[in-house]
Amino acid sequence: MNDVYERINCRACKGTDLHKFLDLGEMPIPNGFRDPYDKSPEIKYPLAVNVCKTCWMVQLTHVVSPEIMYKNYSYIPSTSKTMLEHFERLARGVIFKSKLAPDDLVLDIGSNDGTLLSFFKDNGHRVLGIDPASNLSQVARKKGINTIDDLFSSKLARELVDCKLKPKAITATNVFAHVDDLNDFCDGISALLHPDGFFVVEVPYLPDLICGNEFDTIYHEHLSYFSLTPLINLFRAHDLIIVDVEKILVHGGSVRVFAVKENRWYSQYESVGKTLQEETAFNHIETFDAFAGRVEAIRLGLMSTLDHIKAQDQRIIGYGAPAKGNVLLNYCGIGPDILDYIVDSIPQKQGKRTPGTSIPIESEWYLEVDDPDYALLLAWNFKEEILEKQKEFRANGGKFIIPIPNVSIE
Ligand code: DWN
């Protein structure tokens, strides 16, 4: 596969009536953190989104090769208390809903460092992970979580079926939006899932992204942006029926979707019909064009706020080095001239520089010995956790600049 290619049809319904509503320009990949001495050229790729006027799926105009993005991955959700609690609740919900028996198999696609699967393992179930990031699957295997270093595909699914593996629950949290060939992925799920099993997908929820002005959640890893409307039809094309949908708060607003095999009798929860009904008011081109206008207003408002602070000779740092933060920094043109450095809790990111803007990333401990005036909260999706953690910084007069959903200072 080339490093990048342009999609000319919808990856869900294959429709070609696509409307581009936001173009964030050319950017490096969002987790492309670099060593300070790395002087190699930084490759940038187009970052823009289309909405399919046939099925209302939103998707990037260009697809960057997964080999470039995932071979050595730095997203580790287990470093966040919020995400650990979230995964434990998810595991309990799946165990209850699927009526998992002690020896049932649970498969997690995009299993990362095995955090989610460890909750199932501790509850006595067999577990198996799939993740292409070998740096993370090594961590999972040290926890006793068997992990296949690969991308999920219908080919891999059939190899697992040949090994007599039929998971009673298959989970895919923050990975479904990263998949280019969704039809092949769903074909694999349908072939692999136990006849009485549940397929559970968690993805950022498009209406929350649009209504919450969360433009920085649009990046090269997220190929698709889902509402329930396109998902229902995509799943049905592969004999998967969505029977329940839950709205959840993580990552700026997500949905948790439960699907079963078509031939398994299961009553559909009213959540499905209610959500589809809500989306009929959302699915209009004007919704997406108005969002693009708000994104530009946020850029102008944020730069005005930062410029005003700098004009007062006050110091600003960044807080959190999430993938989304690199979209915001590159789109707004925020570099080391504005942010002295960024603090982040993930050791793999500390000592690196941000892609495209080359801002140094340091440990959160820097705030024990330094006293900047402001912190731009790039990890705004963890605002409660971080403001609580940094109550002393705030008590000493430090202020957080919150960029999303609108620029505010706390
Ligand atoms: O889909 C994806 C989303 C869900 O997560 C992945 N493709 C990539 C990833 O995006 P992200 O990097 O924006 O994830 P996070 O978890 O929102 O990033 C938060 C960042 O903030 C991490 O680098 C850790 C950091 N952090 C911190 O420094 N102190 C987080 C917390 C809670 C803290 O207290």
Side-chain angles (χ1 to χ4, degrees):
M1 173 182 182
N2 295 330
D3 284 356
V4 60
Y5 80 92
E6 183 172 8
R7 277 207 71 97
I8 56 171
N9 67 355
C10 172
R11 75 165 48 79
C13 75
K14 306 296 180 211
T16 53
D17 192 2
L18 304 175
H19 169 69
K20 182 159 81 170
F21 62 90
L22 182 66
D23 190 338
L24 296 172
E26 300 247 334
M27 265 183 219
I29 56 171
N31 274 307
F33 298 98
R34 293 161 68 90
D35 292 320
Y37 49 79
D38 183 353
K39 302 300 179 204
S40 62
E42 198 159 24
I43 302 172
K44 297 187 177 184
Y45 305 95
L47 185 60
V49 276
N50 283 326
V51 58
C52 172
K53 294 166 76 172
T54 305
C55 77
W56 296 105
M57 180 136 102
V58 169
Q59 49 217 300
L60 296 186
T61 58
H62 290 73
V63 176
V64 176
S65 156
E67 277 68 39
I68 291 176
M69 292 195 284
Y70 300 120
K71 255 319 167 202
N72 189 32
Y73 202 45
S74 50
Y75 167 58
I76 305 173
S78 56
T79 56
S80 147
K81 187 162 69 73
T82 304
M83 290 310 290
L84 282 173
E85 290 165 357
H86 168 74
F87 282 137
E88 185 167 15
R89 281 195 302 273
L90 169 58
R92 279 206 305 270
V94 171
I95 290 165
F96 174 75
K97 210 168 187 98
S98 311
K99 299 184 176 56
L100 285 184
D103 203 35
D104 281 340
L105 175 65
V106 178
L107 170 71
D108 185 30
I109 300 172
S111 50
N112 201 277
D113 64 354
T115 297
L116 173 60
L117 284 175
S118 57
F119 291 113
F120 288 105
K121 183 171 185 288
D122 294 347
N123 201 55
H125 306 296
R126 290 183 295 139
V127 296
L128 177 64
I130 296 177
D131 199 298
S134 43
N135 62 311
L136 295 173
S137 45
Q138 285 167 23
V139 175
R141 278 190 280 270
K142 286 189 182 128
K143 297 177 188 173
I145 308 282
N146 286 333
T147 305
I148 299 170
D149 289 16
D150 203 349
L151 290 163
F152 182 75
S153 65
S154 62
K155 176 175 176 294
L156 176 55
R158 287 179 168 78
E159 289 166 3
L160 296 175
V161 171
D162 292 346
C163 296
K164 307 286 183 250
L165 294 175
K166 276 282 183 177
K168 192 76 175 296
I170 301 177
T171 52
T173 63
N174 294 303
V175 62
F176 199 66
H178 303 55
V179 175
D180 190 13
D181 191 342
L182 285 174
N183 283 288
D184 178 73
F185 190 102
C186 291
D187 182 38
I189 295 293
S190 193
L192 183 57
L193 186 63
H194 185 286
D196 294 331
F198 276 88
F199 175 41
V200 187
V201 180
E202 279 189 3
V203 285
Y205 187 48
L206 177 65
D208 287 344
L209 186 155
I210 296 292
C211 299
N213 302 331
E214 300 167 9
F215 74 91
D216 54 352
T217 308
I218 295 170
Y219 47 78
H220 296 111
E221 293 181 11
H222 292 168
L223 301 181
S224 308
Y225 302 80
F226 294 104
S227 56
L228 191 58
T229 307
L231 269 181
I232 284 264
N233 299 319
L234 172 67
F235 277 30
R236 184 173 292 125
H238 299 274
D239 301 330
L240 295 167
I241 304 299
I242 293 178
V243 294
D244 193 7
V245 58
E246 295 172 7
K247 306 268 181 71
I248 50 182
L249 294 176
V250 291
H251 294 298
S254 299
V255 279
R256 179 180 298 148
V257 170
F258 293 85
V260 299
K261 296 286 290 265
E262 187 161 29
N263 57 2
R264 181 191 190 283
W265 186 87
Y266 200 97
S267 60
Q268 190 169 71
Y269 284 65
E270 65 176 41
S271 59
V272 175
K274 182 171 175 293
T275 304
L276 288 173
Q277 181 63 34
E278 289 165 359
E279 290 177 4
T280 54
F282 175 82
N283 291 332
H284 298 284
I285 291 300
E286 294 76 11
T287 303
F288 300 96
D289 290 343
F291 167 69
R294 297 195 301 273
V295 170
E296 181 59 8
I298 286 174
R299 184 184 70 80
L300 294 172
L302 179 58
M303 293 317 291
S304 165
T305 301
L306 299 176
D307 292 345
H308 177 73
I309 291 170
K310 297 300 283 183
Q312 313 284 317
D313 288 331
Q314 294 186 296
R315 292 178 55 224
I316 314 171
I317 65 160
Y319 203 109
K324 64 174 77 66
N326 293 317
V327 172
L328 186 139
L329 295 174
N330 280 285
Y331 177 64
C332 295
I334 298 171
D337 57 321
I338 294 176
L339 302 185
D340 294 353
Y341 56 86
I342 293 170
V343 296
D344 191 281
S345 60
I346 294 183
Q348 288 87 334
K349 298 183 181 179
Q350 294 160 9
K352 303 270 187 174
R353 294 192 181 246
T354 50
T357 51
S358 197
I359 300 171
I361 301 169
E362 309 295 354
S363 160
E364 289 174 304
W365 294 110
Y366 256 55
L367 286 184
E368 303 290 318
V369 293
D370 190 16
D371 58 346
D373 301 291
Y374 290 86
L376 174 58
L377 187 57
L378 298 167
W380 49 263
N381 51 315
F382 293 121
K383 177 179 145 186
E384 285 68 28
E385 182 174 346
I386 291 172
L387 266 57
E388 172 59 27
K389 180 190 276 190
Q390 296 298 342
K391 55 180 181 290
E392 192 175 329
F393 166 71
R394 301 176 70 209
N396 294 333
K399 291 183 174 54
F400 277 92
I401 303 164
I402 319 293
I404 301 289
N406 293 294
V407 180
S408 62
I409 294 179
E410 294 193 31

